[in-house]
Amino acid sequence: MPSQVIVNADDFGLSAHTNAVILHAFQAGLISSATAMANMPAFAAACTLAQQPALKGRVGLHFNLTYGRPLSRAILAEPRFCTPHGEFDLRLKQRTLRLSRRERAAVAQELEAQWKHCLDHGLMPSHLDSHQHVHNIWPVGEVVARFARSQGVPIRLARNIGHNIGPLKRLFKTLLNRRLHQLCGVTADHVCTPADVRAGLAPAHGVLEVVAHPSALGSQDFGDAYLARGESLKALIEQRLGDRPRVSYTSLVQRAPVV
């Protein structure tokens, strides 16, 4: 079993309903971390909720390049990122290895704008990940990892546990994760979904992040987008990982060696 577990809920700030489910999951002790979408309608409310004791210091930035409108201007002129109407429409393939200098600068500006939007709302992000895993696109990941290091926060690795990761994909993820860790310096050791936990794939050591998208399942229970309809995320985590300490990314920064 892993030494520590981070159960992170993505999409905080997406809607009032999502905020309510994530708040409840924190209060129930199911999740230990979340990441907020800075350009979504319920973001300001999420930042207010993030000041509650159960959440404080445990909410990161869910960097978004695929949904809604950007918070910066330069990226609006990039056709591989935005529509002419000013909405995100990412047209990069997952295996894209190069961005133009202008595209890189635009991605960096948008990341800085979303980060600043957090700070302006009283939220100091605990770490960085991304909506629909856009930082798993190599050149985007490099921008995000460098920025994370400049802010002294960890970054999520690409998912590296799962039966559906074939040899070529595993090689790519291994190289990408090595690069993300090299550039940022602080990461968890393993990343998986609740479905991977159900499959018995939790690692034997290290820090594991379980990427969750919790949903309400009755008054005191939670499902998840990665699980079958009606299946309990709460029961799964308790059965498979219940004896492992549940931590946030902040604890990884605290234990990181000084260099």
Side-chain angles (χ1 to χ4, degrees):
M1 285 293 104
S3 59
Q4 295 178 315
V5 175
I6 300 167
V7 182
N8 188 91
D10 290 357
D11 300 345
F12 201 29
L14 178 63
S15 67
H17 175 74
T18 300
N19 285 359
V21 172
I22 289 176
L23 173 63
H24 189 194
F26 265 116
Q27 293 172 335
L30 172 61
I31 63 174
S32 56
S33 177
T35 37
M37 301 177 76
N39 67 331
M40 288 292 103
F43 171 72
C47 290
T48 299
L49 294 175
Q51 303 307 314
Q52 294 195 17
L55 286 70
K56 197 168 182 62
R58 294 173 175 265
V59 177
L61 171 61
H62 199 49
F63 182 44
N64 181 15
L65 292 175
T66 63
Y67 187 43
R69 292 181 175 272
L71 299 181
S72 61
R73 295 192 59 82
I75 204 164
L76 292 169
E78 300 303 328
R80 292 206 290 176
F81 290 87
C82 287
T83 70
H85 304 293
E87 295 183 344
F88 281 128
D89 182 23
L90 190 66
R91 297 184 181 184
L92 299 181
K93 294 182 179 179
Q94 192 67 27
R95 296 296 179 261
T96 298
L97 296 177
R98 184 181 177 278
L99 298 177
S100 70
R101 181 177 298 179
R102 198 174 78 171
E103 286 174 329
R104 277 183 173 263
V107 171
Q109 276 188 39
E110 180 60 22
L111 177 54
E112 290 170 6
Q114 292 186 22
W115 183 272
K116 184 177 184 298
H117 204 50
C118 291
L119 301 183
D120 288 346
H121 284 77
L123 174 64
M124 175 62 202
S126 59
H127 67 291
L128 270 163
D129 57 34
S130 62
H131 191 53
Q132 298 181 331
H133 314 293
V134 294
H135 80 288
N136 290 182
I137 300 170
W138 192 289
V140 175
E142 289 189 330
V143 172
V144 176
R146 286 191 172 98
F147 184 82
R149 188 178 193 106
S150 75
Q151 301 300 323
V153 299
I155 188 174
R156 173 189 287 167
L157 294 180
R159 172 174 166 258
N160 53 9
I161 293 173
H163 284 313
N164 63 340
I165 303 176
L168 290 179
K169 184 182 284 188
R170 187 167 297 280
L171 175 61
F172 177 83
K173 285 174 175 281
T174 298
L175 294 174
L176 173 63
N177 284 344
R178 187 177 300 166
R179 183 63 170 158
L180 294 176
H181 186 81
Q182 177 189 47
L183 291 175
C184 177
V186 184
T187 66
D189 301 301
H190 313 280
V191 177
C192 75
T193 70
D196 300 320
V197 174
R198 181 183 57 194
L201 300 179
H205 55 79
V207 179
L208 169 67
E209 180 187 356
V210 181
V211 180
H213 294 79
S215 57
L217 191 65
S219 60
Q220 298 297 324
D221 203 356
F222 302 87
D224 191 85
Y226 289 107
L227 300 177
R229 184 180 179 88
E231 186 175 358
S232 172
L233 174 63
K234 185 177 180 181
L236 175 67
I237 295 296
E238 289 303 321
Q239 290 167 7
R240 299 299 180 99
L241 300 170
D243 62 338
R244 299 293 88 190
R246 221 162 294 176
V247 300
S248 69
Y249 267 98
T250 304
S251 67
L252 302 192
V253 176
Q254 293 169 346
R255 75 172 192 173
V258 178
V259 294

